[in-house]
Amino acid sequence: MHAQILTAARRPLAAAELPAPRPGPQQLLIAVRACAVCRTDLHVVDGELADPKLPLVLGHEIIGTVVEKGAAADRFAIGDRVGVPWLGWTCGVCDYCRSGQENLCDRARFTGYQIDGGYAELTVADQRFCFTIDSHYGDVEAAPLMCAGLIGYRTLRMAGDAQRLGIYGFGAAAHIVAQVARHQGRRLFAFTRPGDAAAQEFARSLGAEWAGDSTTPPPEPLDAALIFAPVGSLVPAALAATKKGGTVVCGGIHMSDIPSFPYRILWEERVLRSVANLTRRDAEEFLALAPEAGVRTETTTYPLDRANEALGDLRSGALKGAAVLVP
Ligand SMILES: [Zn+2]
Ligand SMILES: [Zn+2]
């Protein structure tokens, strides 16, 4: 099968011809129909996440069709369409797994990082971590739901019932979260790279009542802020924009260092927290909510062999919504 592989950090992906993977007892062999490109993929390529499997097939926002099943795989039938997320396997027995926090499992394994992912024609995935995708969505349109959507949704959940919601970094996750937040009746304030008029216009088109530079304070204090851009200096900016008792949630897996800041912008019971990975419960909830909330995704498609170009466009901030690879 054709695949794009990472052979070492800080190198472009290389085209490769790999043997078709074989499904283990609990696994599905999946013909990849679409795989979205996530900011996390860039962090892996850039060597910012430790010890990836190498060589590695990146990609953890996979939509595909089941073409073969392992001996114990009984949740799906041949021909079913499934989605494969970042959470690829958990141990089921550690304290985290047993307390509803499998996202923090001590032995968790992640798709497109420790397990080969979807930048390929075929992939295998554990059936227990695969999901049915609503027929409302085409393959390309559904792909960004699998991480930008799922982890974006978990990030939004951590904001509680905040009404005035700030979103820092208006990329793939934000454009989905914005639609869910508006569906829930929240007020939306979007912060972009300074001067990025196109991203600000995009945010307004998705229901933001205000959109501006990340260096500019919002017109009123925020009840909560979500940070999706991997930029540590946004943490003090978001804390300063958030009201007493409000929450700032960091939704990414990696961020540049956070500069020191005066205690007074955290004081008055502001909460600063991160979000890590997802649970299967997040996925079930969000994949049911997305069609009900009328969530649509904005995508730019690239043939699989142009994966490096897709990563480059994501890095430069040129994309509106999500990049999706199609084998
Ligand atoms: Zn565990
Ligand atoms: Zn991701």
Side-chain angles (χ1 to χ4, degrees):
M1 66 166 182
H2 296 307
Q4 288 279 316
I5 59 170
L6 179 72
T7 54
R10 291 172 291 278
R11 294 239 189 97
L13 304 186
E17 196 62 36
L18 303 180
R22 303 291 312 151
Q26 285 283 356
Q27 288 180 322
L28 309 172
L29 178 65
I30 296 164
V32 177
R33 307 285 294 273
C35 182
V37 175
C38 177
R39 167 68 59 174
T40 298
D41 301 346
L42 275 183
H43 293 314
V44 176
V45 171
D46 290 345
E48 291 164 338
L49 298 187
D51 303 322
K53 170 191 179 293
L54 287 175
L56 171 69
V57 180
L58 284 165
H60 57 267
E61 304 188 79
I62 305 166
I63 304 295
T65 307
V66 178
V67 293
E68 197 183 321
K69 306 195 298 177
D74 51 7
R75 288 188 64 216
F76 299 96
I78 303 289
D80 281 358
R81 184 169 75 150
V82 294
V84 183
W86 168 245
L87 187 71
W89 184 87
T90 56
C91 77
V93 297
C94 73
D95 288 349
Y96 293 111
C97 280
R98 284 183 300 159
S99 61
Q101 295 178 287
E102 66 179 355
N103 58 309
L104 301 178
C105 172
D106 288 328
R107 295 169 59 207
R109 288 158 56 80
F110 299 103
T111 311
Y113 180 34
Q114 289 134 342
I115 304 171
D116 280 336
Y119 287 22
E121 290 178 302
L122 294 166
T123 193
V124 290
D126 190 309
Q127 62 158 356
R128 295 165 294 189
F129 298 86
C130 294
F131 299 92
T132 300
I133 304 298
D134 193 282
S135 58
H136 203 74
Y137 293 103
D139 298 326
V140 167
E141 195 185 17
L145 299 178
M146 297 313 297
C147 181
L150 296 185
I151 298 181
Y153 173 70
R154 184 173 178 86
T155 309
L156 175 63
R157 235 169 21 85
M158 298 307 170
D161 58 5
Q163 279 302 299
R164 291 170 300 186
L165 186 73
I167 298 186
Y168 287 77
F170 214 85
H175 99 287
I176 295 172
V177 167
Q179 296 173 65
V180 175
R182 290 295 298 138
H183 173 74
Q184 294 171 334
R186 303 179 199 244
R187 297 172 57 197
L188 202 60
F189 301 79
F191 299 81
T192 71
R193 295 182 210 215
D196 192 344
Q200 290 168 14
E201 182 48 45
F202 185 42
R204 278 189 287 266
S205 77
L206 291 171
E209 67 181 75
W210 178 91
D213 297 352
S214 58
T215 48
T216 308
E220 41 189 302
L222 306 171
D223 298 321
L226 316 181
I227 303 178
F228 291 114
V231 180
S233 61
L234 293 175
V235 170
L239 279 169
T242 301
K243 71 165 193 180
K244 292 184 279 190
T247 301
V248 173
V249 191
C250 302
I253 193 169
H254 174 85
M255 206 180 233
S256 56
D257 285 354
I258 300 169
S260 73
F261 54 84
Y263 176 58
R264 66 176 159 73
I265 64 173
L266 176 63
W267 189 61
E268 295 170 322
E269 304 198 344
R270 290 177 185 85
V271 174
L272 173 61
R273 66 163 302 158
S274 66
V275 155
N277 314 316
L278 68 137
T279 65
R280 282 172 281 183
R281 199 187 128 206
D282 295 326
E284 300 288 0
E285 274 182 30
F286 172 71
L287 292 171
L289 174 62
E292 186 188 306
V295 170
R296 313 302 313 189
T297 61
E298 182 90 19
T299 56
T300 304
T301 57
Y302 300 76
L304 176 61
D305 60 13
R306 282 168 52 201
N308 285 309
E309 188 184 328
L311 287 165
D313 289 349
L314 176 58
R315 187 189 301 281
S316 73
L319 286 167
K320 205 161 97 175
V324 180
L325 301 177
V326 178

